[in-house]
Every structure is written in C-alpha cells, then in structure tokens.
Short mmCIF file of all heavy atoms in Angstrom, two decimals:
data_model
loop_
_atom_site.label_atom_id
_atom_site.label_comp_id
_atom_site.label_asym_id
_atom_site.label_seq_id
_atom_site.Cartn_x
_atom_site.Cartn_y
_atom_site.Cartn_z
N THR V 1 8.62 12.77 5.92
CA THR V 1 7.67 12.91 7.03
C THR V 1 8.16 12.19 8.28
O THR V 1 7.55 12.33 9.35
CB THR V 1 6.29 12.35 6.65
OG1 THR V 1 6.42 10.99 6.22
CG2 THR V 1 5.68 13.17 5.51
N ASP V 2 9.24 11.42 8.17
CA ASP V 2 9.80 10.75 9.33
C ASP V 2 10.58 11.72 10.22
O ASP V 2 10.91 11.39 11.37
CB ASP V 2 10.74 9.60 8.91
CG ASP V 2 11.82 10.07 7.94
OD1 ASP V 2 11.47 10.55 6.84
OD2 ASP V 2 13.02 9.97 8.28
N LEU V 3 10.85 12.92 9.71
CA LEU V 3 11.62 13.90 10.48
C LEU V 3 10.69 14.73 11.36
O LEU V 3 9.54 15.03 11.00
CB LEU V 3 12.40 14.82 9.53
CG LEU V 3 13.42 14.11 8.63
CD1 LEU V 3 14.15 15.13 7.76
CD2 LEU V 3 14.42 13.30 9.46
N GLU V 4 11.20 15.12 12.51
CA GLU V 4 10.39 15.77 13.53
C GLU V 4 9.79 17.09 13.06
O GLU V 4 8.65 17.43 13.42
CB GLU V 4 11.23 16.00 14.79
CG GLU V 4 10.44 16.53 15.98
CD GLU V 4 11.30 16.65 17.22
OE1 GLU V 4 12.44 16.16 17.21
OE2 GLU V 4 10.81 17.24 18.20
N ASP V 5 10.52 17.87 12.27
CA ASP V 5 10.03 19.18 11.85
C ASP V 5 9.35 19.16 10.49
O ASP V 5 9.21 20.20 9.84
CB ASP V 5 11.17 20.21 11.85
CG ASP V 5 12.39 19.74 11.05
OD1 ASP V 5 12.44 18.54 10.72
OD2 ASP V 5 13.28 20.56 10.79
N ALA V 6 8.88 17.99 10.07
CA ALA V 6 8.13 17.90 8.81
C ALA V 6 6.82 18.67 8.92
O ALA V 6 6.16 18.66 9.96
CB ALA V 6 7.85 16.44 8.46
N ASN V 7 6.44 19.34 7.85
CA ASN V 7 5.21 20.13 7.82
C ASN V 7 4.51 19.89 6.48
O ASN V 7 4.71 20.64 5.53
CB ASN V 7 5.50 21.61 8.03
CG ASN V 7 4.24 22.44 8.20
OD1 ASN V 7 3.15 22.02 7.82
ND2 ASN V 7 4.39 23.63 8.76
N VAL V 8 3.71 18.85 6.41
CA VAL V 8 3.03 18.48 5.17
C VAL V 8 2.04 19.54 4.75
O VAL V 8 1.89 19.84 3.56
CB VAL V 8 2.34 17.11 5.33
CG1 VAL V 8 1.52 16.78 4.09
CG2 VAL V 8 3.37 16.01 5.60
N GLN V 9 1.37 20.14 5.72
CA GLN V 9 0.35 21.13 5.39
C GLN V 9 0.96 22.34 4.70
O GLN V 9 0.34 22.95 3.82
CB GLN V 9 -0.38 21.58 6.67
CG GLN V 9 -1.63 22.41 6.39
CD GLN V 9 -2.65 21.67 5.54
OE1 GLN V 9 -2.99 20.53 5.84
NE2 GLN V 9 -3.11 22.31 4.48
N GLN V 10 2.18 22.70 5.07
CA GLN V 10 2.85 23.81 4.41
C GLN V 10 3.07 23.52 2.93
O GLN V 10 2.91 24.41 2.08
CB GLN V 10 4.21 24.07 5.09
CG GLN V 10 4.97 25.24 4.51
CD GLN V 10 6.24 25.55 5.29
OE1 GLN V 10 6.43 26.64 5.81
NE2 GLN V 10 7.14 24.57 5.36
N VAL V 11 3.40 22.28 2.62
CA VAL V 11 3.57 21.89 1.23
C VAL V 11 2.23 21.93 0.51
O VAL V 11 2.12 22.45 -0.62
CB VAL V 11 4.18 20.48 1.13
CG1 VAL V 11 4.23 20.00 -0.32
CG2 VAL V 11 5.58 20.46 1.74
N ALA V 12 1.19 21.40 1.14
CA ALA V 12 -0.14 21.40 0.53
C ALA V 12 -0.64 22.82 0.28
O ALA V 12 -1.28 23.09 -0.74
CB ALA V 12 -1.12 20.64 1.43
N ASN V 13 -0.34 23.73 1.20
CA ASN V 13 -0.78 25.12 1.06
C ASN V 13 -0.06 25.84 -0.07
O ASN V 13 -0.59 26.80 -0.64
CB ASN V 13 -0.57 25.87 2.37
CG ASN V 13 -1.49 25.41 3.47
OD1 ASN V 13 -2.52 24.75 3.21
ND2 ASN V 13 -1.15 25.71 4.71
N ALA V 14 1.15 25.40 -0.38
CA ALA V 14 1.95 26.07 -1.41
C ALA V 14 1.33 25.90 -2.79
O ALA V 14 1.35 26.84 -3.60
CB ALA V 14 3.38 25.54 -1.40
N PHE V 15 0.79 24.71 -3.05
CA PHE V 15 0.22 24.43 -4.37
C PHE V 15 -1.13 23.73 -4.20
O PHE V 15 -1.26 22.53 -4.50
CB PHE V 15 1.18 23.57 -5.19
CG PHE V 15 2.56 24.18 -5.31
CD1 PHE V 15 3.62 23.70 -4.56
CD2 PHE V 15 2.77 25.26 -6.16
CE1 PHE V 15 4.88 24.28 -4.66
CE2 PHE V 15 4.02 25.84 -6.27
CZ PHE V 15 5.08 25.36 -5.51
N PRO V 16 -2.13 24.46 -3.73
CA PRO V 16 -3.43 23.85 -3.41
C PRO V 16 -4.17 23.31 -4.63
O PRO V 16 -5.12 22.54 -4.49
CB PRO V 16 -4.20 24.99 -2.75
CG PRO V 16 -3.57 26.24 -3.29
CD PRO V 16 -2.12 25.91 -3.46
N GLN V 17 -3.75 23.72 -5.82
CA GLN V 17 -4.41 23.24 -7.04
C GLN V 17 -4.03 21.81 -7.39
O GLN V 17 -4.61 21.22 -8.30
CB GLN V 17 -4.10 24.18 -8.21
CG GLN V 17 -2.66 24.14 -8.73
CD GLN V 17 -1.73 25.10 -7.99
OE1 GLN V 17 -1.85 25.30 -6.78
NE2 GLN V 17 -0.78 25.67 -8.71
N HIS V 18 -3.04 21.27 -6.67
CA HIS V 18 -2.59 19.90 -6.93
C HIS V 18 -2.67 19.07 -5.66
O HIS V 18 -2.51 19.60 -4.55
CB HIS V 18 -1.16 19.90 -7.47
CG HIS V 18 -0.99 20.69 -8.73
ND1 HIS V 18 -1.55 20.30 -9.93
CD2 HIS V 18 -0.35 21.86 -8.98
CE1 HIS V 18 -1.26 21.18 -10.86
NE2 HIS V 18 -0.52 22.14 -10.32
N GLU V 19 -2.87 17.78 -5.85
CA GLU V 19 -2.95 16.89 -4.69
C GLU V 19 -1.56 16.67 -4.09
O GLU V 19 -0.58 16.49 -4.82
CB GLU V 19 -3.56 15.56 -5.09
CG GLU V 19 -3.80 14.62 -3.92
CD GLU V 19 -4.75 13.49 -4.25
OE1 GLU V 19 -5.10 13.34 -5.43
OE2 GLU V 19 -5.13 12.75 -3.32
N THR V 20 -1.49 16.71 -2.76
CA THR V 20 -0.23 16.46 -2.05
C THR V 20 -0.33 15.16 -1.27
O THR V 20 -1.29 14.94 -0.53
CB THR V 20 0.09 17.62 -1.09
OG1 THR V 20 0.31 18.82 -1.84
CG2 THR V 20 1.33 17.32 -0.27
N VAL V 21 0.66 14.31 -1.46
CA VAL V 21 0.69 13.02 -0.77
C VAL V 21 1.89 12.99 0.17
O VAL V 21 3.03 13.19 -0.27
CB VAL V 21 0.80 11.86 -1.79
CG1 VAL V 21 0.84 10.51 -1.06
CG2 VAL V 21 -0.35 11.90 -2.78
N PRO V 22 1.69 12.76 1.46
CA PRO V 22 2.81 12.67 2.40
C PRO V 22 3.48 11.30 2.32
O PRO V 22 2.82 10.29 2.08
CB PRO V 22 2.15 12.88 3.76
CG PRO V 22 0.76 12.34 3.58
CD PRO V 22 0.39 12.64 2.15
N LEU V 23 4.80 11.29 2.54
CA LEU V 23 5.50 10.01 2.56
C LEU V 23 6.90 10.19 3.15
O LEU V 23 7.39 11.31 3.27
CB LEU V 23 5.65 9.43 1.15
CG LEU V 23 6.76 10.04 0.26
CD1 LEU V 23 7.28 9.02 -0.71
CD2 LEU V 23 6.24 11.26 -0.46
N SER V 24 7.49 9.06 3.49
CA SER V 24 8.92 9.01 3.76
C SER V 24 9.49 7.95 2.84
O SER V 24 9.31 6.75 3.06
CB SER V 24 9.20 8.64 5.23
OG SER V 24 10.59 8.34 5.38
N ALA V 25 10.16 8.41 1.78
CA ALA V 25 10.75 7.46 0.83
C ALA V 25 11.85 6.64 1.51
O ALA V 25 12.05 5.46 1.18
CB ALA V 25 11.31 8.21 -0.37
N LEU V 26 12.55 7.25 2.45
CA LEU V 26 13.63 6.56 3.15
C LEU V 26 13.11 5.43 4.01
O LEU V 26 13.64 4.31 3.99
CB LEU V 26 14.41 7.55 4.01
CG LEU V 26 15.60 6.99 4.80
CD1 LEU V 26 16.68 6.49 3.83
CD2 LEU V 26 16.18 8.04 5.74
N GLU V 27 12.04 5.69 4.76
CA GLU V 27 11.50 4.69 5.68
C GLU V 27 10.42 3.83 5.02
O GLU V 27 10.01 2.80 5.59
CB GLU V 27 10.91 5.39 6.92
CG GLU V 27 11.92 6.18 7.73
CD GLU V 27 12.97 5.29 8.36
OE1 GLU V 27 12.67 4.10 8.62
OE2 GLU V 27 14.10 5.77 8.61
N GLY V 28 9.92 4.25 3.88
CA GLY V 28 8.86 3.50 3.21
C GLY V 28 7.48 3.77 3.77
O GLY V 28 6.55 2.97 3.56
N ASN V 29 7.32 4.89 4.46
CA ASN V 29 6.03 5.23 5.06
C ASN V 29 5.04 5.73 4.01
O ASN V 29 5.38 6.56 3.16
CB ASN V 29 6.20 6.30 6.13
CG ASN V 29 7.08 5.83 7.28
OD1 ASN V 29 7.26 4.63 7.48
ND2 ASN V 29 7.63 6.77 8.04
N ASN V 30 3.83 5.23 4.06
CA ASN V 30 2.70 5.65 3.22
C ASN V 30 2.91 5.30 1.75
O ASN V 30 2.31 5.94 0.87
CB ASN V 30 2.43 7.15 3.36
CG ASN V 30 0.99 7.51 2.99
OD1 ASN V 30 0.05 6.77 3.31
ND2 ASN V 30 0.80 8.63 2.31
N MET V 31 3.69 4.29 1.45
CA MET V 31 3.92 3.93 0.05
C MET V 31 2.70 3.31 -0.62
O MET V 31 2.55 3.38 -1.84
CB MET V 31 5.11 2.99 -0.06
CG MET V 31 6.45 3.63 0.31
SD MET V 31 6.82 5.14 -0.62
CE MET V 31 6.91 4.52 -2.30
N ASP V 32 1.80 2.73 0.18
CA ASP V 32 0.56 2.20 -0.42
C ASP V 32 -0.21 3.31 -1.10
O ASP V 32 -0.69 3.16 -2.24
CB ASP V 32 -0.31 1.53 0.65
CG ASP V 32 0.19 0.15 1.04
OD1 ASP V 32 0.97 -0.43 0.25
OD2 ASP V 32 -0.17 -0.34 2.12
N GLU V 33 -0.36 4.45 -0.41
CA GLU V 33 -1.08 5.58 -1.02
C GLU V 33 -0.30 6.14 -2.21
O GLU V 33 -0.89 6.53 -3.22
CB GLU V 33 -1.33 6.69 0.00
CG GLU V 33 -2.15 7.83 -0.59
CD GLU V 33 -2.44 8.95 0.40
OE1 GLU V 33 -1.98 8.87 1.55
OE2 GLU V 33 -3.13 9.92 0.01
N VAL V 34 1.02 6.18 -2.08
CA VAL V 34 1.85 6.65 -3.20
C VAL V 34 1.57 5.84 -4.45
O VAL V 34 1.34 6.39 -5.54
CB VAL V 34 3.35 6.56 -2.82
CG1 VAL V 34 4.23 6.72 -4.07
CG2 VAL V 34 3.70 7.63 -1.80
N TYR V 35 1.55 4.52 -4.34
CA TYR V 35 1.34 3.67 -5.51
C TYR V 35 -0.11 3.74 -6.01
O TYR V 35 -0.35 3.69 -7.22
CB TYR V 35 1.73 2.23 -5.19
CG TYR V 35 3.21 2.08 -4.92
CD1 TYR V 35 3.69 1.28 -3.89
CD2 TYR V 35 4.14 2.74 -5.72
CE1 TYR V 35 5.04 1.14 -3.65
CE2 TYR V 35 5.50 2.62 -5.47
CZ TYR V 35 5.95 1.82 -4.44
OH TYR V 35 7.30 1.71 -4.19
N ASP V 36 -1.04 3.90 -5.08
CA ASP V 36 -2.45 4.10 -5.49
C ASP V 36 -2.57 5.34 -6.38
O ASP V 36 -3.23 5.32 -7.42
CB ASP V 36 -3.35 4.27 -4.27
CG ASP V 36 -3.57 2.96 -3.51
OD1 ASP V 36 -3.25 1.88 -4.06
OD2 ASP V 36 -4.06 3.03 -2.37
N LYS V 37 -1.93 6.42 -5.95
CA LYS V 37 -2.03 7.68 -6.68
C LYS V 37 -1.28 7.61 -8.01
O LYS V 37 -1.74 8.19 -9.02
CB LYS V 37 -1.50 8.83 -5.82
CG LYS V 37 -2.34 9.13 -4.60
CD LYS V 37 -3.77 9.51 -4.99
CE LYS V 37 -4.62 9.82 -3.76
NZ LYS V 37 -6.03 10.15 -4.14
N ILE V 38 -0.14 6.96 -8.05
CA ILE V 38 0.60 6.82 -9.31
C ILE V 38 -0.26 6.07 -10.34
O ILE V 38 -0.37 6.47 -11.51
CB ILE V 38 1.94 6.10 -9.10
CG1 ILE V 38 2.91 7.01 -8.33
CG2 ILE V 38 2.55 5.68 -10.44
CD1 ILE V 38 4.22 6.35 -7.97
N ALA V 39 -0.89 4.98 -9.90
CA ALA V 39 -1.76 4.22 -10.81
C ALA V 39 -2.96 5.05 -11.25
O ALA V 39 -3.36 5.00 -12.42
CB ALA V 39 -2.21 2.93 -10.11
#
C-alpha cells in the first residue's frame, strides 16, 4: 500500500467473502491491525 498505484478495494472486491487487511510489509504500515487479525 506504500506504492502510488495500490488499489486495496480491487483486492477486497475480488474475494468479498473474506476479510481484506491493507498493509505495507516493507514499510511496516498497519501492522497493528495485521497482528490484531492474526490473533
């Protein structure tokens, strides 16, 4: 999601039956939510 042409909604629309969590693993963005969801 750190990249300019990121489109999270497109990913969410592809598999609406599952929860989609945005993140940048490289930059560490939104990792709090990532760990909340893993737990």
